[in-house]
Amino acid sequence: MKNRTDFGLNRRTFLSTSGLGLLGASMSGVLCNVPSKEESEQTANTFQKDGWKAIMESAKKYPKLDAHNHVWSGSNAAQVDESCEALGITKAACSIPGGKKVAEIRANNDIIIQAMKSHPKRIMGQCYINPLFKKEALDEIDRCVDNGMVMLGELYDAVKISDPMYYPIVERCIRHKIPLMLHGVTTLGNWRPGYLPTNPPNSSVPEDFVEIANRYPEAMIICGHIGGGGNWEYMCRILRKAPTLFLDTSGSVSDEGMIDMAVKYLGADRLLFATDMNYETGVGKIIWADLSEADRKKIFFENFNNLLRKAGNHAS
Ligand SMILES: [Zn+2]
């Protein structure tokens, strides 16, 4: 096992120093483990010369593929590119989730296609669809794949992923040999009676992912963001019931023990590094987790690359 202190940094050091104004495009929202004022001052003093460079170099030494990110406009693509460059993220799979009409969804996917063209070495496309549009959704998958997109994502909360409306969507992904990533929710009210639901009723909870994955074990289904805000322990306990499911590590939550528990319950082979625009915390939580070097490399790069390889979309 590679001890976390072998990196010459600790968790708080990485999270606090890597955010010293380096990444203007970052939209990090570290919800937990915020250093105290004294700790921040101490860290700043320690690293004010070039110590932070050593930290960034230790982060950059791992090639990374980001399985869950977003581009909101053409100009935003340049910021994604810059942020990925700063942290050694080789490529990022990006989407624009949402759109109430078919034309709106197509226009959003066209922005992603444009970002793929403007930053071909960095940005991979995720196709967003809404299963409620049935035939148009299937047609849009085909159109996006024809335009070089590598997967579906970030599918959202219009329909639960376990709903039969998703069956033809999943089957189309199996036919194209592409992964499918959907916004996962674990807020208490969405699965425990008596608590206030804070997400729409059709949001997909861990049980929904287990149900669809066990129906289609040959599909490459990814539950989005273990750190999306909610009960990640519950997520780990439930998702292990479907051995073919994958889980991405993104989200603004970077609680101590989160990645460690995911590895313990699901195994390192089923975790995919991702940021969901939380660049420094996204990298820091994998750097800091108590992982072997082999497992860290799997999570940062190899696992997602193996999924992309099925359709020939892998990074070299
Ligand atoms: Zn999400």
Side-chain angles (χ1 to χ4, degrees):
M1 294 289 279
K2 178 85 173 177
N3 189 289
R4 59 198 72 179
T5 57
D6 291 347
F7 292 99
L9 63 140
N10 63 38
R11 169 187 183 75
R12 290 187 175 189
T13 301
F14 181 86
L15 296 181
S16 57
T17 56
S18 63
L20 289 174
L22 183 68
L23 301 176
S26 171
M27 297 174 71
S28 257
V30 185
L31 299 179
C32 301
N33 298 297
V34 177
S36 68
K37 185 168 180 287
E38 292 73 26
E39 284 177 312
S40 296
E41 288 174 354
Q42 186 182 4
T43 300
N45 289 335
T46 303
F47 292 93
Q48 63 183 340
K49 292 185 177 176
D50 60 0
W52 65 269
K53 289 181 183 172
I55 292 172
M56 297 307 289
E57 288 309 313
S58 69
K60 288 182 75 171
K61 76 177 184 181
Y62 299 96
K64 306 172 196 68
L65 294 175
D66 185 345
H68 180 161
N69 206 331
H70 300 286
V71 164
W72 302 114
S73 67
S75 58
N76 176 234
Q79 293 180 313
V80 171
D81 184 52
E82 183 183 350
S83 298
C84 288
E85 178 66 24
L87 285 164
I89 298 171
T90 313
K91 288 189 162 193
C94 300
S95 69
I96 301 179
K100 288 186 168 53
K101 297 178 180 175
V102 170
E104 200 178 336
I105 291 170
R106 282 177 62 99
N108 284 340
N109 284 330
D110 283 342
I111 291 174
I112 297 297
I113 292 169
Q114 202 53 46
M116 292 160 55
K117 288 178 179 170
S118 64
H119 297 83
K121 291 182 179 175
R122 189 79 67 187
I123 293 178
M124 299 182 287
Q126 294 180 324
C127 172
Y128 174 83
I129 55 92
N130 184 336
L132 291 173
F133 294 117
K134 296 183 179 175
K135 182 182 181 307
E136 288 87 349
L138 294 173
D139 290 346
E140 184 65 356
I141 294 173
D142 294 345
R143 185 183 81 91
C144 288
V145 169
D146 287 346
N147 278 279
M149 292 202 188
V150 301
M151 62 189 290
L152 263 58
E154 178 183 9
L155 306 182
Y156 227 68
D157 52 22
V159 178
K160 275 183 176 288
I161 194 169
S162 54
D163 190 290
M165 293 192 82
Y166 256 108
Y167 296 171
I169 304 293
V170 175
E171 288 164 12
R172 189 60 59 100
C173 289
I174 292 170
R175 194 199 300 176
H176 284 302
K177 300 179 180 175
I178 57 173
L180 176 163
M181 186 270 288
L182 190 138
H183 176 81
V185 160
T186 53
T187 38
L188 208 54
N190 280 80
W191 50 272
R192 181 173 288 179
Y195 288 81
L196 184 68
T198 51
N199 285 284
N202 286 334
S203 300
S204 296
V205 296
E207 288 85 347
D208 300 318
F209 284 91
V210 168
E211 188 176 331
I212 192 75
N214 285 336
R215 182 181 180 88
Y216 292 105
E218 68 273 48
M220 296 179 277
I221 298 172
I222 304 165
C223 176
H225 43 54
I226 185 176
N231 190 329
W232 48 261
E233 291 183 336
Y234 183 81
M235 183 178 258
C236 291
R237 285 196 292 271
I238 300 301
L239 293 188
R240 69 176 165 176
K241 297 176 182 174
T244 59
L245 261 180
F246 295 87
L247 172 63
D248 87 48
T249 62
S250 70
S252 60
V253 174
S254 57
D255 291 348
E256 180 173 357
M258 183 174 73
I259 299 300
D260 303 46
M261 181 172 177
V263 170
K264 182 179 175 186
Y265 275 63
L266 307 182
D269 291 349
R270 294 169 61 191
L271 296 183
L272 311 178
F273 162 72
T275 67
D276 198 3
M277 302 184 297
N278 296 272
Y279 293 96
E280 303 98 323
T281 48
V283 172
K285 67 175 88 165
I286 306 300
I287 291 282
W288 187 83
D290 196 8
L291 302 168
S292 69
E293 276 297 271
D295 284 350
R296 189 171 282 109
K297 289 175 180 173
K298 281 182 183 177
I299 295 169
F300 265 143
F301 190 92
E302 294 165 14
N303 292 342
F304 188 35
N305 207 34
N306 286 337
L307 299 189
L308 297 173
R309 183 175 282 112
K310 308 273 189 201
N313 294 320
H314 54 290
S316 56

